[in-house]
Each structure stands twice: as C-alpha cells, then as structure tokens.
C-alpha cells in the first residue's frame, strides 16, 4: 500500500496554506492512504468490511420491521451495551482506569460491551490507549492527519496500517494476563452470532434488526 508522507519543507515550501484541511477544523491533512482501490486487502480487512456492509444493509430494514417490542429491545440494548458496556467498561474502566469494580461485575459489564459490535476488549482498549498517547499525531491509531474518512472509519479496514504501527500491542498487558479477555478475543464472533441467534429466537427478524443495529 502506498503511504505518502508530505513534509512541509519538501513539497510545500513549509507553507501550510497549500495543504488541505479537514472541513470545519484546523487539522491539516499531511498523509494520504489508498482506501479502496490500488491497495492490498488482507483477509481480515475483507471480513471487517463484510461485517460493516452487512450491519448497514440490515439497518435499511428498520422502518419495515418496526414494532414497539423491537423498539424497546433497541432502547434497552443501547443502555446496556452502549452506556454500561462501552462508555463505562471499555472506555472508563479498562482504557483509563477511572474506576474499579469487583471482578465479576467488571466481566459482566465488559461482556455487555462485547455485544456492542465494536471489537473485543483487547483490540478496542489497545487502539484507544494509543490514540490518547499520540493524539492527532502520526502515531495516532485514527489520526485526522490521514484524512477525515480515515480517522472516522477507514483505519479499521486497514489491518496493514495497524500492524505497521502497533504490531506488538504491548499496551494492554493487564488484559492479556487475564484468561477472560483472551477467551473473548479468540471467540469474539461467536458471541455476536450467538446474540443474533437469541434475538431471532425471541422475536424473529425484527428483533435482529432493532436489537443488533
């Protein structure tokens, strides 16, 4: 994959005005990456892209599968997986160590986060810790200097970039030392598919659409 670094002094005479900015911000795009064409797609990139497309296609069925039961599944799911799972456990508890919980409660809340479809805890926490350590710089996992699309979503279709930057993932040793997190990492997709199966068994396709998307 082509990865171009554009120093101010070489191509632009040190003049930042010649560089593109992300709209409505002061962030200057100094690097470009091939997002779709002209790049090598690894198997994991195809898997992630396929899941991304599947989830968004599923969302198109939402207006046609609405029921109040499905709506409340979505609302409760947001509170459980989004607020308790992602905001409290993945973010504040694991990434920043802002609080402590008894281990059983920690694992329960983290498991809620697993069902939020945002990656296993080791992956998510590692990415987020690197992001805060190198925020908005070349070493930021989803740095805006690579462009708006890359910082928003392009980075997680680009495993080569993540391996190139963070092959060792040595900033999550606290999680790697716990059997629970290793187990979740190795069986991550099984939990998502299992969640979908339970939702379908309880309320059919409508529950899958509103409960997972």
């Amino acid at each position: 994959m082509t990865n171009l670094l554009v120093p101010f002094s070489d191509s632009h005479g040190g003049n930042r005005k010649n560089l593109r900015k992300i709209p409505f911000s002061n962030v200057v795009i100094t690097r470009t990456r091939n997002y779709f064409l002209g790049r090598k797609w690894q198997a994991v990139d195809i898997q992630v892209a396929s899941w991304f497309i599947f989830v968004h296609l599923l969302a198109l069925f939402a207006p046609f599968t609405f029921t109040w039961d499905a709506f409340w599944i979505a609302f409760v799911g947001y509170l459980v997986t989004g607020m308790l799972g992602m905001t409290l456990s993945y973010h504040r508890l694991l990434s920043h160590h802002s609080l402590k919980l008894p281990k059983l409660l920690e694992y329960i809340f983290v498991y809620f986060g697993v069902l939020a479809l945002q990656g296993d805890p080791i992956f998510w926490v590692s990415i987020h810790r690197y992001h805060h350590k190198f925020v908005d710089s070349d070493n930021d996992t989803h740095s805006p200097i690579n462009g708006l699309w890359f910082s928003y979503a392009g980075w997680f279709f680009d495993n080569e970039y993540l391996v190139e930057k963070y092959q060792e993932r040595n900033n999550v040793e606290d999680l790697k030392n716990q059997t629970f997190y290793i187990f979740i990492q190795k069986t991550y997709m099984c939990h998502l598919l299992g969640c979908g199966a339970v939702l379908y068994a309880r309320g059919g396709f409508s529950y899958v659409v509103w409960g997972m998307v």
Side-chain angles (χ1 to χ4, degrees):
M1 180 186 302
T2 303
N3 187 6
L4 302 176
L5 175 62
V6 185
F8 296 148
S9 58
D10 292 348
S11 300
H12 299 279
N15 185 0
R16 293 171 64 95
K17 293 182 179 179
N18 295 327
L19 298 175
R20 290 189 301 120
K21 285 186 177 181
I22 290 180
F24 310 109
S25 80
N26 292 321
V27 176
V28 177
I29 302 172
T30 61
R31 296 170 67 92
T32 58
R33 297 186 71 87
N34 295 329
Y35 297 132
F36 302 110
L37 302 178
R39 54 159 289 194
K40 179 181 178 181
W41 282 75
Q42 300 182 357
V44 66
D45 297 329
I46 296 173
Q47 292 171 8
V48 171
S50 298
W51 181 253
F52 183 87
I53 292 170
F54 169 73
V55 169
H56 284 77
L57 287 176
L58 207 59
L60 297 178
F61 289 92
F64 311 104
T65 57
F66 174 84
T67 67
W68 280 109
D69 284 348
F71 169 82
W72 287 113
I73 287 289
F75 180 75
V76 172
Y78 168 74
L79 296 180
V80 171
T81 66
M83 301 300 290
L84 293 179
M86 296 306 304
T87 301
L88 187 144
S89 66
Y90 268 42
H91 189 203
R92 304 311 309 172
L93 175 64
L94 299 185
S95 297
H96 295 294
H97 293 158
S98 301
L99 70 155
K100 288 186 178 181
L101 294 175
K103 270 300 174 190
L104 179 59
L105 196 58
E106 172 187 326
Y107 290 162
I108 291 173
F109 284 177
V110 167
Y111 193 77
F112 293 157
V114 170
L115 303 180
L117 313 182
Q118 293 197 28
D120 70 88
I122 290 177
F123 169 81
W124 199 97
V125 172
S126 177
I127 292 293
H128 196 70
R129 287 178 180 175
Y130 279 124
H131 163 65
H132 276 282
K133 184 176 181 180
F134 302 111
V135 63
D136 291 354
S137 72
D138 180 47
N139 287 322
D140 186 348
T141 44
H142 35 82
S143 177
I145 68 173
N146 288 307
L148 179 61
W149 166 254
F150 184 86
S151 66
Y152 170 64
W155 63 275
F156 58 75
F157 300 128
D158 195 346
N159 187 64
E160 183 180 11
Y161 170 83
L162 296 178
V163 171
E164 168 192 315
K165 294 287 186 183
Y166 321 104
Q167 186 170 7
E168 298 301 324
R169 296 284 173 85
N170 56 8
N171 64 344
V172 282
E173 297 304 318
D174 54 324
L175 303 185
K176 290 181 180 179
N177 291 329
Q178 299 182 57
T179 303
F180 172 78
Y181 293 109
I182 295 297
F183 171 74
I184 293 296
Q185 182 185 47
K186 292 181 177 180
T187 60
Y188 177 68
M189 284 302 300
C190 295
H191 302 280
L192 303 188
L193 295 175
C195 178
V198 170
L199 287 170
Y200 185 81
R202 294 292 297 177
F205 186 60
S206 175
Y207 272 33
V208 174
V209 172
W210 284 81
M212 296 195 72
V213 181

